[in-house]
Amino acid sequence: MIAHLFNAPIGDDETAVGVGTVGSSEAIMLAGLAFKRKWQNKMKAAGKPYDKPNIVTGANVQVCWEKFARYFEVELKEVKLREGYYVMDPEKAAEMVDENTICVAAILGSTLNGEFEDVKMLNDLLAAKNAETGWDTPIHVDAASGGFIAPFIYPELEWDFRLPLVKSINVSGHKYGLVYAGVGWVIWRSKEDLPDELIFHINYLGADQPTFTLNFSKGSSQIIAQYYQLIRLGFEGYKDVMQNCRDNATVLREGIEKMGYFDVVSKDSGVPLVAFSLKDTSKYTVFEVAESLRRFGWIVPAYTMPADAEHVAVMRVVIREDFSRSLAERLIADLGKTMADMDAHAGKKAGHDHPAKKSVHEIEKEVTTFWKRLVAKKKSSMVC
Ligand SMILES: *Cc1c(COP(=O)(O)O)cnc(C)c1O
């Protein structure tokens, strides 16, 4: 079902394989291992050295890629970021590729700002480079979050097995797959993309059982829950949930933008989340804002961006299925109150009168007006 969702070849060409894992981290270890082994076999057969494999990613990768690189002894070559551009630049990634590159890993839904990387452009650039050099550098897509979002609400976006160089994809069942923690998936485009020697066959459970996981025993409840959600909600159900998340993210984004204090660094499309930085960091930081917001019961992470954008610090709110519109409204109001307090406090600290940019009352009024307009818009589009 998941291979089909990701547009794996069907019909006579249909040989996609996959495995359930504890999460995307294990899925990525396995996918990385398959690329490494395939590359080694190819180099051995060509009589070339095979002791210096590398992998190309953006500096925005999730920590599991760093783990893979360190645990499995593959050099991690990271494309640096810059202020205002927080994902892997496909051109720079293609430039970094050499004969020892086992794959380029692209992210569908960056952990830092939710942005989808341009996998299609990467595919085209790499295809040209492969044609020129005679290499066959493949692509892995880390779709931990985006894999259960894009197929439903951005179906035209080409990021998956529709692109010929995409050989494997991972997704977290416990993120937008809507299952409780402990399930991920990795899918290979075809049997040929998963070296047979990595698969162990055991028969002591009564029949031939192929296994390719790091762990052996684990509970089946996650698999059952994933299966249940897929058949219970169906394509339309997942689509509704994802659309709703996106709508709530839009409400939150617009409310935060209207306050005037923040630059939003997440995109309209991508993972439904809002990441934002302070326009003016001279009086206080996002770390202090996050700390102050805790009074209202909100725990919003604040963090710095990776190399070379470390000087940018952001806060991030990820919208899940259970983050309702009224919660979004409340967060906007509470953030507004927090900012008014921060200003008043910063004014006092500086020893002169420094009035808040907007009063709490003003912000609340704006949020309510904005909200009412949005509901009216939604209603009129529903009538159509
Ligand atoms: C969450 C995430 C991971 C790790 O996934 P787990 O399921 O938590 O192991 C890897 N990559 C990206 C892009 C993620 O968002």
Side-chain angles (χ1 to χ4, degrees):
M1 288 163 92
I2 298 172
H4 286 170
L5 191 64
F6 295 165
N7 292 297
I10 51 170
D12 291 343
D13 297 340
E14 182 166 345
T15 61
V17 287
V19 62
T21 57
V22 178
S24 279
S25 302
E26 186 191 4
I28 284 164
M29 304 288 157
L30 300 175
L33 204 51
F35 282 118
K36 183 181 172 187
R37 192 54 64 95
K38 261 207 105 171
W39 171 84
Q40 283 175 327
N41 290 347
K42 184 186 71 183
M43 296 299 270
K44 267 186 216 173
K48 292 183 177 167
Y50 53 90
D51 58 341
K52 286 199 169 55
N54 70 61
I55 182 167
V56 174
T57 69
N60 53 314
V61 282
Q62 214 263 358
V63 66
C64 64
W65 285 98
E66 294 168 38
K67 283 189 190 171
F68 163 73
R70 206 177 295 172
Y71 295 173
F72 293 94
E73 302 183 325
V74 174
E75 184 200 348
L76 187 66
K77 300 214 302 187
E78 288 183 336
V79 178
K80 301 261 195 285
L81 313 182
R82 58 178 189 269
E83 186 169 344
Y85 192 86
Y86 303 117
V87 290
M88 178 174 73
D89 179 339
E91 282 186 31
K92 288 194 187 140
E95 272 168 32
M96 264 192 196
V97 166
D98 60 31
E99 199 173 5
N100 293 330
T101 303
I102 62 169
C103 80
V104 180
I107 311 175
L108 197 76
S110 175
T111 310
L112 304 171
N113 73 343
E115 193 170 343
F116 290 163
E117 290 181 348
D118 193 339
V119 193
K120 178 152 180 18
M121 185 193 263
L122 178 68
N123 178 84
D124 297 349
L125 290 168
L126 267 185
K129 184 155 184 168
N130 286 344
E132 195 187 302
T133 56
W135 307 335
D136 56 0
T137 313
I139 297 173
H140 175 88
V141 183
D142 175 359
S145 294
F148 277 119
I149 296 168
F152 303 109
I153 56 175
Y154 306 110
E156 313 78 34
L157 184 74
E158 287 180 54
W159 64 276
D160 53 15
F161 293 120
R162 279 169 287 183
L163 303 173
L165 291 180
V166 174
K167 302 299 181 191
S168 51
I169 299 173
N170 69 277
V171 63
S172 292
H174 53 214
K175 289 182 177 172
Y176 288 91
L178 309 177
V179 179
Y180 37 77
V183 63
W185 303 94
V186 53
I187 313 286
W188 286 270
R189 170 187 207 89
S190 76
K191 269 209 207 79
E192 288 74 58
D193 295 304
L194 175 57
D196 219 23
E197 68 212 73
L198 294 177
I199 303 171
F200 290 82
H201 292 267
I202 56 144
N203 65 8
Y204 73 80
L205 294 177
D208 174 56
Q209 203 173 6
T211 147
F212 180 41
T213 48
L214 297 181
N215 211 73
F216 187 66
S217 307
K218 71 175 180 215
S220 56
S221 63
Q222 282 87 357
I223 310 285
I224 293 167
Q226 182 77 80
Y227 189 51
Y228 175 81
Q229 290 288 55
L230 289 172
I231 57 174
R232 171 81 179 84
L233 293 171
F235 192 93
E236 289 304 317
Y238 269 84
K239 188 174 163 188
D240 283 349
V241 170
M242 301 311 149
Q243 239 156 14
N244 198 45
C245 290
R246 183 175 62 184
D247 290 350
N248 288 336
T250 305
V251 170
L252 187 63
R253 177 199 172 96
E254 298 197 359
I256 288 174
E257 268 173 348
K258 280 214 162 61
M259 272 176 223
Y261 288 90
F262 303 104
D263 285 324
V264 172
V265 301
S266 44
K267 305 283 167 185
D268 277 331
S269 64
V271 181
L273 63 78
V274 188
F276 48 103
S277 62
L278 271 171
K279 282 190 172 138
D280 175 4
T281 52
S282 65
K283 288 182 292 181
Y284 41 78
T285 64
V286 282
F287 301 97
E288 291 165 304
V289 173
E291 183 63 35
S292 183
L293 195 56
R294 282 183 174 235
R295 282 178 303 151
F296 297 100
W298 299 101
I299 300 176
V300 177
Y303 50 92
T304 52
M305 289 296 201
D308 277 343
E310 299 97 332
H311 58 288
V312 182
V314 302
M315 291 168 76
R316 185 192 68 164
V317 182
V318 181
I319 308 299
R320 303 195 328 184
E321 182 194 11
D322 53 359
F323 191 91
S324 63
R325 196 157 290 196
S326 50
L327 269 183
E329 259 187 281
R330 222 171 76 196
L331 177 54
I332 295 167
D334 290 343
L335 186 59
K337 288 180 210 158
T338 302
M339 296 316 291
D341 287 352
M342 298 297 293
D343 271 351
H345 188 65
K348 247 189 248 151
K349 256 200 326 208
H352 49 76
D353 190 25
H354 203 100
K357 277 189 183 154
K358 271 179 195 164
S359 72
V360 174
H361 183 66
E362 269 178 314
I363 291 171
E364 275 185 340
K365 230 170 76 183
E366 273 190 19
V367 169
T368 313
T369 319
F370 170 67
W371 168 237
K372 277 188 185 145
R373 257 199 291 124
L374 203 115
V375 170
K377 210 167 88 187
K378 187 109 187 142
K379 271 199 189 126
S380 66
S381 70
M382 263 154 54
V383 172
C384 300

